[in-house]
Amino acid sequence: MTTDDTLLEIHTNALAGMGSTPRHFGRMAAFIADDGHPDEDLSEETFRARILKGDNELVALWNRHLNNWDFAQEAAWADDASPRTRARRDATYDKLALGTDLRKVLDTVVPMSEVPAPTIVTKDFHDWYTPERAAARSFYWRAYEEKLRSKGWSAPSIASLDEASRAVVERLTDPEQVAARQAKGLVVGYVQSGKTANFTGVTAKAIDAGYRLVIVLGGTLNMLRAQTQRRIDMELIGQENILRGADPDDLDSLVGVDYVGDDDPDWPEFVSHGGRPSLRGAFDIERLTTRDNDYKSLATGIRALEYEKRDQTRPLRDPANLHHAAARVLVVKKNKAVLSKLVKDLKQIKSLLGELPTLIIDDESDQASLNTSNPKKWAAGSKERTAINDQISQLFGLLPRAQYVGYTATPFANVFVDPSDAHDIFPTDFLISLPRPVGYMGVQDFHDLDSPVPEAERDISNSQEKAHVRGIYADTCDDRLQEALDAFLLTGALKLYRAEHGVTDADFRHHTMLVHESLKTDDHAELALRINTMWHESGYSSSAGHERLAALYEKDFAPVSAAQAPDLPTPATYGELRGYVSDARQRITSGGRPVIVVNGDSDAYFAALDLDFHGPVPVWKILVGGTKLSRGFTVEGLTVTYYRRTTHQADTLMQMGRWFGFRHGYQDLVRLYIGREEAYGRKQTADLYERFEAICRDEELFRKQLAKYSGLVDGQPRLTPAQVPPLVAQHLRTLPPSAKNKMFNAELVAVRSPGDWIEPLAYPTDREKLRHSNEAWRAVLGALDNDPSVFVHLGGDRGSFTRYAAKTAVISHSQLLKTLDSVTWGRPDLVAPHLEYLRDPGELGCATDDWVVIAPQTSDGDSAAGSVLGSVPLTLVKRGRNENGVFNRLSGVAHRQSAERIAGARTLSDDDPFATQLHQPRRGAVLLYAVGNQADGSLDGLVAGGTVAPDKLIIAAAIIPATDPAAKPVPYLTFRTIESKKDSPVIDVS
């Protein structure tokens, strides 16, 4: 052994001996060296020199341990220093007793991680999962951790996963606990951001701690289930548990064994435990599902679910039995037939289930798992459930020690589950929002959210939109599909160029393009034929084709890469890239077809599909499809996306964002071709890029709200998940958070409408209620000027306009609120969300300090005027009500323009001088009308002696809050969850 190897061994053993608490490193190292290497140079000078010389193994060792201490949540040794802070790192150095010069060097090679901690909203919980207990039983977690390290995960990324997975496990019930208790939680990640890694880590720690049945609900198709099964088999369960004693060198014994039995090229990459875990002081894992087989009624009887107890006099959850019993793991798809088989088999061992610590992981928990039946249609006193939700509910009923953890990137539907339903999946115990991973390319990487750079000054160096997004507009004759195909070929060539020019740590194995225009399978076939024809007619081997590629390269890719990725090798000219274009084209057309349609509904379809990202042949193809190319389906190597499909729900649209993910080594090459004027309904168009931005704001506000209510106050949770105020927002009025059948328990809380009209149309008909309602306006009516102002409505034709006179007043925001709170509304439930917004003084609330009241005065043939509650004379207007007593309209269209100018919602005009004069920041406008019912006949009959009795008319208002076009957008709607036991009304949120 060389001296260098000896020093590394001493450092390794010294740090390992410290466990979770840093200790005096010099003494620990000297103690280790004393046994065999007493003359080894352990000076800090030698240590520092080794680091400066670039000893990667030594740096990696210290990187791992320093990050573990940086991230540790429970660190009594750190004098209350928070994780990932300078104070925490200094406390670590102090405990290690390291000198100043060595600290500086370590800070250089192991900088403090900037990965934020997960955000946690939680109930109070028993702190059973201590660092000591976690370290004492960590066989599978350590194996998983080592596997991630071998895959190239950085030390901060592993430490972050360790922290986030621990946050989940410590909130589960202690598996050794005497009393049975269920816990339910929700983990919120980002689309294609590594949620599987988190729940694999949670599973590893949970089974180490004593959970002995793990049920993973892994998608609605076997393709997705098998994808999850493979991942868990490879990174957690491992070779020895898959082989179950079979000799890997004996081909006969491998018949029917996953992966190794059919020469899977990745078998050597599956984690190895160095022997059967049960022979190495741990326990085995028995798989009750395999790569190719979902759960089936057990052919060997129920014995596969029976657990051997070392001490028959004690329950299974007793440590004497629990930590010697094998764990069972199932990865099942969300299918009623499959889950009902599992429920049936569990019922046969019901006497054991009360002792069995169980973990249920629900991947994509907002898909299929939710109860989407309409409560309005349930029989009295009953609760009806949809198929998968019913099976999950039965699992809760059978497994009193079951812990449920849902995972999703689109959590809106989950938080609308009824918290009072004990057998449903509302996350009553914890809500955890995972941090955005380092290197992840998400919505924020395609949008210039709140950019300080003025729009006119944005370019490819300071704008994500300019760098990555290419809009498709209806008013041009070019749908840019040919350009997108050219971009796909160019980016493939650039990946090959980089692979040959020293970029060895990037994943260039797969290269794909996604085309998503429609959900109809017939459309997919037609589109695939068009793309295939276009590809073969593109002339990629002709001079004209190369000229077109060269033009796109010089105009787009060369400048963007120079601005966004100056450290990555990029050809100076297209001529340097041309040879790689030919190679890329051959890879894309291998097998005779560049296009694959992905739209089948059956497992057999996907089994026959020539699309295997885990097979021996890299995938370089154009994928055309719809829904099957969205939720749960990971498109490896995705570089160019052509997206033009509209949808009506935010979570559905977000799941279609397959262009999100990790793009190490080619993030600058990613392009999104997206529709900016797509047909939406009969007469509308939708800007899909704008819609994704709105979703991003909804999502970020959700995370911000979680952060606001996370943490402890005096050692207690600030709020539990069920107590959290409105979390789900809707920035775009035409894009609700989720499908209508997932929002039966959603209650509309606030309609945030800066610059938008609020015009209640339902007023009482009872005369006493009318009198009371109108009385609320007395002070406002009394403030109106007797002298009218003249406002101008500008027509669409040049020079056309309409003037109208109005009595005006300026009132405070508090006075308007007092008035509106006193009005008697015909439908208070419809007005309440608007009032909630007007009352909100926060950053998302109504940014209005005062209001201009405008009472238009008309003079048509049927008009009349009179004083109301002592006001100056006001013109009365006649409006018709429908059969439900609701007015068809109130405000006049010609009156709105001036009010909109005052509120900042319309550009000021010299042709409307009074509105321009009255406008100022944070000022709204109110159009006020004295309304007579059309069915009551002539308005003159309402006036007696120049006055109008307050029980003979309605004082009605249309309100437009102040807005600033340059301000940050706020959500249009916010919702909260209804608890059925509180008898809250279930409302229609269509």
Side-chain angles (χ1 to χ4, degrees):
M1 178 178 287
T2 67
T3 302
D4 285 358
D5 288 334
T6 300
L7 186 65
L8 179 62
E9 180 186 19
I10 292 170
H11 278 234
T12 300
N13 292 334
L15 292 172
M18 297 180 191
S20 60
T21 303
R23 306 180 190 281
H24 195 294
F25 177 73
R27 294 174 187 164
M28 291 287 289
F31 178 79
I32 298 294
D34 191 55
D35 184 16
H37 306 286
D39 299 326
E40 185 68 27
D41 182 0
L42 300 177
S43 67
E44 287 194 358
E45 290 76 11
T46 299
F47 180 14
R48 192 169 66 250
R50 284 278 299 276
I51 294 175
L52 293 172
K53 192 170 64 175
D55 189 323
N56 292 333
E57 288 186 276
L58 191 61
V59 170
L61 174 69
W62 278 86
N63 194 345
R64 184 160 65 249
H65 285 275
L66 286 176
N67 271 285
N68 286 342
W69 289 320
D70 283 349
F71 277 80
Q73 289 295 312
E74 295 183 21
W77 47 268
D79 299 325
D80 297 325
S82 299
R84 293 178 300 284
T85 60
R86 181 73 258 171
R88 169 62 68 84
R89 179 63 72 88
D90 288 343
T92 302
Y93 286 151
D94 290 343
K95 291 296 180 182
L96 292 167
L98 301 182
T100 302
D101 291 341
L102 181 56
R103 295 183 185 202
K104 291 179 180 178
V105 172
L106 284 172
D107 277 347
T108 300
V109 296
V110 188
M112 286 184 296
S113 173
E114 297 181 358
V115 177
T119 299
I120 304 170
V121 175
T122 181
K123 273 186 176 180
D124 195 15
F125 62 95
H126 171 53
D127 189 12
W128 63 275
Y129 193 64
T130 62
E132 295 74 22
R133 184 163 171 182
R137 301 188 186 280
S138 58
F139 181 87
Y140 284 99
W141 165 252
R142 293 303 173 198
Y144 180 51
E145 186 180 40
E146 192 58 43
K147 176 61 183 173
L148 296 178
R149 195 169 291 120
S150 71
K151 289 176 62 178
W153 278 50
S154 68
S157 295
I158 293 175
S160 179
L161 176 63
D162 187 4
E163 175 186 41
S165 56
R166 175 190 172 82
V168 176
V169 174
E170 67 186 358
R171 286 167 174 78
L172 308 179
T173 303
D174 181 353
E176 299 175 7
Q177 182 174 300
V178 174
R181 175 185 173 274
Q182 293 181 337
K184 297 172 188 173
L186 179 68
V187 179
V188 182
Y190 292 83
V191 173
Q192 297 195 135
S193 67
K195 297 185 297 297
T196 305
N198 184 275
F199 73 65
T200 303
V202 167
T203 301
K205 290 182 176 182
I207 60 176
D208 280 335
Y211 281 88
R212 286 299 173 262
L213 178 61
V214 178
I215 303 169
V216 180
L217 306 177
T220 56
L221 283 173
N222 203 51
M223 173 194 67
L224 302 178
R225 187 209 69 81
Q227 179 178 282
T228 302
Q229 178 85 53
R230 180 190 180 87
R231 181 84 172 268
I232 291 176
D233 285 344
M234 175 183 281
E235 299 181 353
L236 175 62
I237 293 176
Q239 294 181 0
E240 292 82 4
N241 286 317
I242 294 172
L243 289 169
R244 298 193 66 182
D247 184 354
D249 297 321
D250 182 358
L251 296 181
D252 290 337
S253 68
L254 299 179
V255 175
V257 179
D258 285 7
Y259 314 112
V260 64
D262 49 16
D263 295 324
D264 188 301
D266 289 333
W267 175 252
E269 303 301 318
F270 279 57
V271 67
S272 174
H273 301 296
R276 289 292 291 272
S278 57
L279 300 178
R280 302 194 67 239
F283 56 90
D284 296 336
I285 297 176
E286 295 183 15
R287 299 184 306 152
L288 301 186
T289 56
T290 66
R291 179 192 62 189
D292 300 322
N293 293 309
D294 203 338
Y295 186 82
K296 300 177 179 179
S297 294
L298 298 174
T300 57
I302 203 60
R303 286 176 298 171
L305 274 172
E306 291 180 340
Y307 290 79
E308 181 181 349
K309 297 181 183 179
R310 279 197 170 189
D311 186 341
Q312 294 293 328
T313 66
R314 301 185 183 188
L316 177 63
R317 55 95 190 149
D318 189 282
N321 287 323
L322 193 62
H323 298 295
H324 299 283
R328 272 71 166 181
V329 174
L330 309 83
V331 182
V332 299
K333 66 173 174 278
K334 299 181 190 181
N335 175 280
K336 180 181 179 181
V338 171
L339 290 173
S340 63
K341 293 172 186 175
L342 174 60
V343 168
K344 180 180 178 182
D345 281 349
L346 287 172
K347 287 179 178 178
Q348 296 184 55
I349 55 168
K350 194 168 184 179
S351 60
L352 176 67
L353 300 184
E355 307 172 15
L356 181 58
T358 302
L359 173 63
I360 300 173
I361 298 284
D362 189 353
D363 192 15
E364 305 292 354
S365 59
D366 60 323
Q367 182 189 34
S369 302
L370 299 163
N371 186 13
T372 55
S373 65
N374 189 344
K376 294 179 180 179
K377 298 180 180 179
W378 296 348
S382 68
K383 181 180 286 289
E384 298 175 12
R385 299 186 186 276
T386 44
I388 305 304
N389 182 263
D390 180 59
Q391 297 299 314
I392 295 173
S393 176
Q394 290 191 56
L395 289 175
F396 289 147
L398 286 169
L399 297 159
R401 294 178 181 270
Q403 317 292 303
Y404 172 90
V405 185
Y407 281 80
T408 184
T410 47
F412 302 147
N414 292 81
V415 298
F416 290 145
V417 174
D418 183 359
S420 301
D421 187 348
H423 283 175
D424 214 328
I425 61 174
F426 183 83
T428 50
D429 292 270
F430 59 88
L431 262 167
I432 296 179
S433 174
L434 299 177
R436 175 186 165 97
V438 175
Y440 174 73
M441 193 173 187
V443 176
Q444 296 91 334
D445 296 286
F446 294 87
H447 296 264
D448 300 320
L449 299 177
D450 307 322
S451 171
V453 181
E455 190 167 350
E457 299 176 18
R458 294 178 191 173
D459 56 35
I460 57 174
S461 66
N462 58 30
S463 166
Q464 302 292 354
E465 179 181 357
K466 299 284 187 184
H468 300 291
V469 180
R470 306 293 175 260
I472 305 168
Y473 294 90
D475 60 355
T476 65
C477 58
D478 183 9
D479 65 4
R480 305 189 80 166
L481 182 56
Q482 179 67 66
E483 180 185 325
L485 294 179
D486 292 349
F488 178 54
L489 180 57
L490 278 175
T491 52
L494 283 163
K495 288 182 180 181
L496 297 175
Y497 177 90
R498 289 180 177 176
E500 282 196 7
H501 287 77
V503 184
T504 58
D505 57 345
D507 185 4
F508 296 149
R509 184 168 187 260
H510 303 297
H511 180 58
T512 52
M513 173 179 174
L514 172 61
V515 181
H516 192 157
E517 279 196 358
S518 169
L519 57 77
K520 299 178 181 178
T521 56
D522 289 346
D523 292 345
H524 300 159
E526 183 179 334
L527 180 58
L529 178 61
R530 180 187 171 209
I531 293 172
N532 191 66
T533 302
M534 183 178 286
W535 177 272
H536 289 293
E537 293 178 352
S538 293
Y540 288 129
S541 59
S542 68
S543 58
H546 283 294
E547 286 177 8
R548 192 177 67 251
L549 292 173
L552 181 59
Y553 180 73
E554 302 295 342
K555 176 185 176 182
D556 189 333
F557 288 93
V560 169
S561 295
Q564 295 281 330
D567 296 331
L568 289 172
T570 302
T573 66
Y574 177 76
E576 297 179 37
L577 187 65
R578 181 164 176 163
Y580 299 91
V581 169
S582 177
D583 190 0
R585 179 175 57 83
Q586 291 176 19
R587 292 187 181 215
I588 294 167
T589 56
S590 65
R593 55 173 182 162
V595 185
I596 297 178
V597 177
V598 184
N599 64 5
D601 288 316
S602 68
D603 292 331
Y605 170 86
F606 284 99
L609 197 63
D610 185 20
L611 182 64
D612 185 0
F613 290 110
H614 303 292
V617 180
V619 176
W620 282 54
K621 295 295 176 187
I622 301 163
L623 309 182
V624 175
T627 304
K628 299 304 181 292
L629 282 175
S630 55
R631 184 185 295 273
F633 187 91
T634 301
V635 182
E636 302 284 356
L638 182 59
T639 311
V640 177
T641 301
Y642 188 86
Y643 184 85
R644 302 186 66 178
R645 176 182 164 186
T646 59
T647 185
H648 296 279
Q649 294 88 37
D651 50 6
T652 303
L653 187 61
M654 192 67 166
Q655 287 289 349
M656 294 178 189
R658 296 293 99 185
W659 50 91
F660 309 137
F662 297 93
R663 307 287 184 259
H664 184 60
Y666 61 99
Q667 183 165 323
D668 59 306
L669 306 182
V670 173
R671 295 293 183 273
L672 170 61
Y673 290 82
I674 189 165
R676 305 299 301 264
E677 296 173 337
E678 296 300 314
Y680 185 76
R682 293 184 179 179
K683 298 181 180 180
Q684 294 178 300
T685 61
D687 184 336
L688 298 179
Y689 181 72
E690 178 188 70
R691 292 168 85 79
F692 268 103
E693 180 168 313
I695 298 170
C696 179
R697 293 188 184 279
D698 293 347
E699 176 190 294
E700 287 307 306
L701 182 60
F702 180 88
R703 295 174 188 276
K704 185 176 181 180
Q705 286 275 76
L706 281 180
K708 179 179 179 180
Y709 297 109
S710 66
L712 304 176
V713 176
D714 297 328
Q716 297 298 313
R718 185 170 302 181
L719 289 178
T720 68
Q723 295 170 330
V724 171
L727 285 176
V728 178
Q730 180 181 330
H731 276 80
L732 204 60
R733 69 180 66 196
T734 57
L735 194 65
S738 194
K740 185 177 179 180
N741 65 356
K742 295 180 180 179
M743 294 181 66
F744 290 127
N745 284 317
E747 180 183 15
L748 183 62
V749 175
V751 178
R752 305 181 187 278
S753 48
D756 288 336
W757 286 97
I758 302 171
E759 186 171 20
L761 297 175
Y763 288 85
T765 55
D766 178 81
R767 296 187 64 170
E768 186 55 38
K769 289 182 178 178
L770 281 177
R771 181 190 302 276
H772 179 272
S773 181
N774 292 335
E775 185 67 35
W777 290 99
R778 179 184 288 274
V780 176
L781 293 170
L784 292 171
D785 288 337
N786 188 42
D787 296 330
S789 301
V790 177
F791 295 97
V792 180
H793 171 85
L794 301 177
D797 298 329
R798 176 176 294 184
S800 66
F801 61 90
T802 302
R803 289 193 180 99
Y804 69 92
K807 305 290 179 71
T808 62
V810 177
I811 63 173
S812 68
H813 182 60
S814 60
Q815 185 175 1
L816 180 65
L817 281 180
K818 181 180 178 181
T819 300
L820 297 178
D821 283 338
S822 301
V823 169
T824 302
W825 303 103
R827 285 289 305 274
D829 57 318
L830 298 181
V831 179
H834 296 285
L835 295 181
E836 186 70 21
Y837 162 63
L838 295 175
R839 292 190 195 102
D840 185 355
E843 62 177 314
L844 298 180
C846 180
T848 305
D849 296 330
D850 60 16
W851 301 79
V852 174
V853 180
I854 303 172
Q857 306 300 293
T858 60
S859 58
D860 57 41
D862 193 28
S863 63
S867 173
V868 182
L869 296 170
S871 73
V872 297
L874 299 177
T875 298
L876 308 185
V877 298
K878 186 183 292 185
R879 297 286 187 264
R881 296 198 192 202
N882 65 21
E883 59 185 10
N884 296 317
V886 177
F887 286 100
N888 299 315
R889 69 177 178 89
L890 285 171
S891 62
V893 174
H895 302 155
R896 287 191 167 199
Q897 269 193 15
S898 297
E900 289 167 0
R901 291 190 182 97
I902 293 170
R906 185 181 288 268
T907 303
L908 298 178
S909 172
D910 293 338
D911 294 326
D912 191 7
F914 275 96
T916 299
Q917 178 183 338
L918 287 168
H919 166 75
Q920 62 184 40
R922 297 179 63 86
R923 171 171 282 178
V926 180
L927 288 175
L928 196 66
Y929 297 90
V931 181
N933 188 3
Q934 198 163 21
D936 292 338
S938 172
L939 293 173
D940 287 331
L942 301 178
V943 184
T947 64
V948 183
D951 61 351
K952 292 185 177 181
L953 83 167
I954 297 162
I955 302 298
I959 301 165
I960 180 167
T963 185
D964 178 0
K968 178 180 178 181
V970 299
Y972 181 66
L973 306 175
T974 54
F975 302 87
R976 67 178 164 220
T977 304
I978 297 170
E979 286 196 63
S980 60
K981 290 184 179 179
K982 293 184 178 180
D983 298 324
S984 298
V986 176
I987 69 168
D988 188 337
V989 294
S990 59

